[in-house]
Amino acid sequence: MSKKIEKIQCKLISPFGPSILHGIMPPDIFEEFETYVYKILEEKESNHGDFLAGRIEDEYGMDENDLFNTRLSDFLDALVSKYATELSDRLFNHQLYSRPYEKSKMTYEVHRIQGWVNSMQTGEYNPLHYHPHCNVTTVFFFNDVNEEFIDKPIAESQTGEKNDAVKGNTDDGLIEIVYGSSRIMEAPTWRVRPAKGEFLIFPAYLLHVVYPFISKERRITASVNYKIQSSMN
């Protein structure tokens, strides 16, 4: 595993059934990734808008030839491997599953399927969707969606409450991940306010949505799909 991955700030969280890896990219990796993302947005060579769920004009694919044998590629692969390994360790350590042999070890092969960059502007959104043809997906955030980012709430208050539609206090521009419907003592969704340099890794079958917003700035993210295969040694 890459030395960079060992120093990364990340943890598994479980807002509902499936676990999600939430963390912060190391500064040098973030700088390299950010440079690559803005290069894609500047060149605008591979528009993926027709292949993706988003109502977004600027969605561009990552070229695997550019990523091959780079530190960024190693980082992405190691991060997804870390997610799979930590999930496996959690299952075995909590004795939810037993190993066939005392000294057996679960190993994983990670295969990058495709990646793309989203540059969302005012009024654009990503409807509720999941990612097919893979089993793990990722999202990386390249700016803060906070009070300074939002110019004004996209809709006025519908409740009459004074603070219900104050910028920075709405879901505008947030990503929401959905797991089933509401149950007693269980939250079925988890909303995340994008923060520069942070990332999420979660099962690709989980439905998720990005809400529209009003801003002079762009909401910049990158996503990469993976297929993980496991074996017991």
Side-chain angles (χ1 to χ4, degrees):
M1 184 175 290
S2 166
K3 291 183 179 179
K4 295 296 181 184
I5 202 70
E6 295 173 1
K7 298 179 181 179
I8 198 169
Q9 300 179 54
C10 62
K11 63 179 180 179
L12 276 177
I13 59 175
S14 299
F16 33 55
S19 296
I20 298 171
L21 189 68
H22 173 250
I24 304 173
M25 289 178 274
D28 55 340
I29 291 292
F30 173 80
E31 183 178 348
E32 184 175 331
F33 204 168
E34 184 180 47
T35 299
Y36 177 59
V37 163
Y38 279 93
K39 175 177 178 289
I40 291 173
L41 293 176
E42 182 179 352
E43 294 176 348
K44 299 184 177 182
E45 288 186 352
S46 178
N47 195 313
H48 269 38
D50 292 338
F51 304 100
L52 301 176
R55 301 301 182 261
I56 305 170
E57 182 178 349
D58 292 323
E59 295 182 298
Y60 301 100
M62 297 180 183
D63 189 338
E64 187 61 33
N65 291 326
D66 292 337
L67 281 175
F68 181 72
N69 206 27
T70 64
R71 187 174 64 157
L72 178 56
S73 175
D74 292 342
F75 168 76
L76 293 171
D77 291 351
L79 199 57
V80 174
S81 292
K82 181 178 180 66
Y83 175 60
T85 301
E86 290 201 1
L87 280 179
S88 174
D89 289 344
R90 174 184 285 190
L91 290 174
F92 288 126
N93 290 340
H94 290 179
Q95 297 182 345
L96 297 179
Y97 294 93
S98 59
R99 300 180 190 270
Y101 304 98
E102 184 177 350
K103 296 183 179 180
S104 61
K105 181 180 179 182
M106 187 76 78
T107 59
Y108 297 92
E109 292 184 6
V110 299
H111 304 279
R112 194 162 52 240
I113 305 301
Q114 66 175 158
W116 63 93
V117 175
N118 288 342
S119 177
M120 297 178 68
Q121 56 187 321
T122 290
E124 295 185 330
Y125 65 96
N126 239 330
L128 195 66
H129 67 286
Y130 71 99
H131 293 192
H133 315 304
C134 59
N135 51 24
V136 168
T137 193
T138 68
V139 59
F140 300 85
F141 303 112
F142 292 91
N143 52 355
D144 298 317
V145 177
N146 52 22
E147 186 172 351
E148 288 71 31
F149 177 89
I150 300 294
D151 289 341
K152 66 176 182 178
I154 201 163
E156 297 300 324
S157 171
Q158 295 181 348
T159 67
E161 297 293 331
K162 184 176 180 180
N163 294 324
D164 186 49
V166 177
K167 69 175 187 175
N169 193 40
T170 69
D171 296 330
D172 299 358
L174 270 60
I175 181 173
E176 182 168 17
I177 304 175
V178 180
Y179 177 64
S181 57
S182 182
R183 300 179 180 89
I184 186 169
M185 304 295 288
E186 183 177 325
T189 72
W190 184 50
R191 296 175 186 175
V192 179
R193 185 175 300 280
K196 185 175 182 178
E198 293 190 0
F199 65 84
L200 303 171
I201 303 178
F202 54 93
Y205 63 79
L206 284 178
L207 293 169
H208 50 288
V209 58
V210 176
Y211 293 108
F213 57 88
I214 296 175
S215 176
K216 292 184 287 292
E217 299 182 48
R218 295 275 187 141
R219 181 187 185 278
I220 310 296
T221 61
S223 291
V224 186
N225 288 340
Y226 274 86
K227 184 170 288 187
I228 297 177
Q229 295 178 314
S230 61
S231 60
M232 187 75 76
N233 296 324

